[in-house]
Structure formats: C-alpha cells, structure tokens
Amino acid sequence: MARRPALEARARVLRAVRAYFEGQGFLEVETPARVFSPGQEVHLDALPAGGGRYLITSPEYHMKRLVAGGLPRIVQFCRCFRAEEDGPFHQPEFTMVEWYCAGGSLANLMRDCEAIVEVAARAVGRWPRVAVPETRRGPSGGDAIALDLPFERTTVRDLLRIHAGVDLRGDESEAEMYKLASRAGCRVAPDAAWDDVFYQLFLDRIETRLGIERPTFVLDWPVPLGALARRKPDEPLTVERFELYAGGLELANAFGELTDPVEQRRRFEAETACRKERGKAVYPVDEKLLDALPHMPPTCGIALGFDRLLMLVLGASSIREVMAFAHDEV
C-alpha cells in the first residue's frame, strides 16, 4: 500500500503527542460527535446527522462544559466534520487535537505547540528541519523550515501594517474595510462583509509570508474575528487569540476563552443574524453552554489540526497523503 509509510508515521506521532499530554497531567476525554448545536461560526457549515442533530465541527462546546464542571486540564483527539471542505489542506472529515487549561495563558499554549511540533518531528526522525514541498512554499520560501529556532511571535496589526500598508483599528465599517483592501491592491466586492474583506486581505498579502523559515504565532486578532474569545483588558478592540503557521500550513487556533454568558449570547445572536443574511443554515444556540459559562474559571483553549501536523513533519503536499482514506475513497 502506497500510504503505508505515512500511516506508520501517523501512528508514531499519535503515540508521541498522547505521551506528551499524559506527561503534562492532562486528562484525555471524549465528547459527543452528534450534537444539537454545532456552532454559529459563519464560515463553518455542519453536516446533518439525523434527529435534529449535526456532526461536530469541533468538540469545543462540550469540552468547555467539562472545564466548567471541574476538569481543569483536558485534551481530546477526535474526528471533526465540516461540509464542503475539500482540497490540499482540507477534508470534510479530519482529526483535531483540542485541549483546555483552566488558569493557563496563551503563553502556556504556545509552549505546548512548540513541544508538540518537536515530539512529532522527532517521532518520525525529521528533527530539527523538515522539508517544505514546492506547493506549500511562499514567495520567498525555501525547501525546508527550521523547527529548532525560537518560533516567531507577531500580531495581526503589525503584519497588516508591514505587508499591506494597512493600519487596522478593528471597528472599521464595511465600507472602510473595502477602501483599505482596495488601497492594498486586493480585489473584493464593494458589498463584501467585514470578515470576508479581512480574510481576502490576509490571504493575499499576509498568509503566504508566514512560517517560512520557522513557525510563526500570529497574536492579537480584532474583535470581529474572535466570537468565542475574551477581549484583551487593555485593548477593547482586540481579543486574546493566536494562530500558528508553519511551512505553508495553518496548524492551530487558540483563544483566551470568553466566560461571560451575556456577552457570549450577544455574539451568538450576531453570528446567527449573519448566517441568515448570507442564506446559510441557522443552528440552535447552545443554552447548556451558556448556563455553564458562569462556572468556568479563566481558561485558554486551542485546536490543532493533527493531519496538518503530519503534513508538516512528513513534508506532504496534500492532506490525502497522511490519511488512510480521503472522503472520495470510501
């Protein structure tokens, strides 16, 4: 079987990452795959699973309820499902590693990420440099990325200012965002939504420059792009969030978790309205999550794409190379 070496490597990496979390005192948990409320995220669509339920796009809601119920350090290796996702980096069914730390910080999660990348690379004998296939190289990228260098830390606003000439506040109107993107040379529709304009700008001017020589953490995202994240105390237009990029891949997304049920409900309602406006399916608000939030201590949480981690350490061009079966092979 052509994929046998990749599948053997996948098993080794899975054992190594599990061992890391066990060594750090995390409790491995399992939460339901079929739920009534798969989330309100505008850019994610869930797959129906019968009986008014949907397959999870992430285990986030139920894991937060476990933290609120008294489990301070938990991790889950789980299958997630997202409709209409297919391509070199996406499959409708994929594996996520998600973990939460009550009392922890984003700095703690960044250290976890650095350690996980290292144990994964060592498990397949690819430490400290991994190959980057031509299809994943940025405009100035080389054929390898150094994992033993200190991971770069930067912010959304610094990246936009440096690479797009844009000074972003975070409370711009949609018309203002359109003007900023147009001045930066991005082609977007005049009536495009705020988030769509931002992501086109980020994709065109920023993303291909990230994680080229070493992995990069991108911190401090504007409020409209962190519906489940808390605001920074000293920056009301910014949420506590980072994404990790490495070798042409977005690997992980982390939040300082919002625990205010009133603010969370307001954000859910705003996302629901946005989904209606765009003609998307509208999912029920998770009332049990909102009931649990007042009991949840200050917590940070993160989701890391396990298949993409495999792509990084094996130098794979496509996610299909590191899975036993892609969605069109079943």
Side-chain angles (χ1 to χ4, degrees):
M1 182 178 183
R3 294 180 191 166
R4 178 172 178 171
L7 297 181
E8 291 174 341
R10 184 184 182 102
R12 292 197 297 274
V13 172
L14 182 59
R15 287 194 297 270
V17 175
R18 270 203 163 100
Y20 169 78
F21 281 109
E22 185 174 356
Q24 296 296 311
F26 282 81
L27 175 68
E28 185 172 341
V29 298
E30 293 180 331
T31 57
R34 295 173 66 248
V35 299
F36 290 109
S37 301
Q40 307 297 332
E41 163 61 52
V42 175
H43 296 280
L44 297 182
D45 295 315
L47 292 167
R53 298 177 188 246
Y54 300 86
L55 295 175
I56 57 167
T57 59
S58 160
E60 181 170 6
Y61 289 5
H62 287 81
M63 291 189 77
K64 287 182 178 180
R65 285 171 59 186
L66 291 179
V67 175
L71 299 180
R73 292 169 68 81
I74 56 175
V75 63
Q76 182 167 187
F77 298 77
C78 73
R79 305 296 282 180
C80 295
F81 307 84
R82 297 178 182 178
E84 300 180 8
E85 292 206 355
D86 189 14
F89 304 157
H90 299 87
Q91 283 283 291
E93 181 178 354
F94 60 97
T95 300
M96 189 93 83
V97 185
E98 193 153 328
W99 67 100
Y100 291 82
C101 302
S105 66
L106 291 185
N108 297 139
L109 298 186
M110 286 189 275
R111 286 193 290 271
D112 285 335
C113 288
E114 291 168 333
I116 288 166
V117 168
E118 178 173 352
V119 299
R122 288 187 183 278
V124 295
R126 304 294 176 91
W127 180 264
R129 294 178 66 82
V130 292
V132 178
E134 189 173 353
T135 54
R136 289 203 277 109
R137 296 173 198 165
S140 59
D143 60 1
I145 177 172
L147 302 180
D148 57 340
L149 293 176
F151 287 16
E152 181 184 11
R153 286 161 170 74
T154 185
T155 69
V156 169
R157 289 179 177 84
D158 283 348
L159 289 168
L160 288 172
R161 185 171 57 254
I162 293 167
H163 298 298
V166 169
D167 285 308
L168 188 73
R169 298 189 311 272
D171 61 352
E172 290 84 356
S173 66
E174 291 181 348
E176 287 177 298
M177 283 296 291
Y178 171 76
K179 290 179 182 178
L180 290 174
S182 297
R183 287 195 209 115
C186 293
R187 301 181 68 176
V188 292
D191 60 347
W194 197 102
D195 55 330
D196 287 335
V197 176
F198 174 89
Y199 283 121
Q200 192 63 54
L201 179 60
F202 196 82
L203 179 65
D204 289 351
R205 294 291 177 267
I206 307 299
E207 196 168 68
T208 57
R209 303 174 185 274
L210 298 174
I212 301 303
E213 296 180 354
R214 54 180 172 156
T216 300
F217 292 112
V218 180
L219 296 96
D220 295 354
W221 290 68
V223 166
L225 304 176
L228 293 160
R230 60 183 178 239
R231 297 175 191 258
K232 292 190 72 174
D234 55 343
E235 297 181 38
L237 297 180
T238 302
V239 292
E240 295 183 9
R241 174 187 178 186
F242 74 74
E243 288 190 349
L244 172 61
Y245 291 82
L249 296 165
E250 177 198 336
L251 288 180
N253 185 23
F255 290 158
E257 303 295 346
L258 178 63
T259 58
D260 180 345
V262 175
E263 174 67 8
Q264 187 64 81
R265 182 182 295 279
R266 186 191 67 76
R267 295 192 196 180
F268 280 160
E269 290 172 349
E271 287 192 308
T272 295
C274 188
R275 291 188 68 89
K276 285 181 180 178
E277 289 173 6
R278 300 187 191 188
K280 288 176 167 279
V282 175
Y283 309 122
V285 169
D286 193 329
E287 296 292 343
K288 291 182 179 178
L289 171 64
L290 293 175
D291 290 343
L293 287 183
H295 308 287
M296 186 174 171
T299 299
C300 286
I302 182 169
L304 182 146
F306 184 74
D307 308 288
R308 292 190 186 183
L309 177 65
L310 263 293
M311 290 179 66
L312 174 69
V313 298
L314 295 180
S317 300
S318 170
I319 193 171
R320 303 168 73 95
E321 299 173 38
V322 301
M323 306 176 82
F325 296 98
H327 76 100
D328 55 356
E329 297 173 328
V330 298

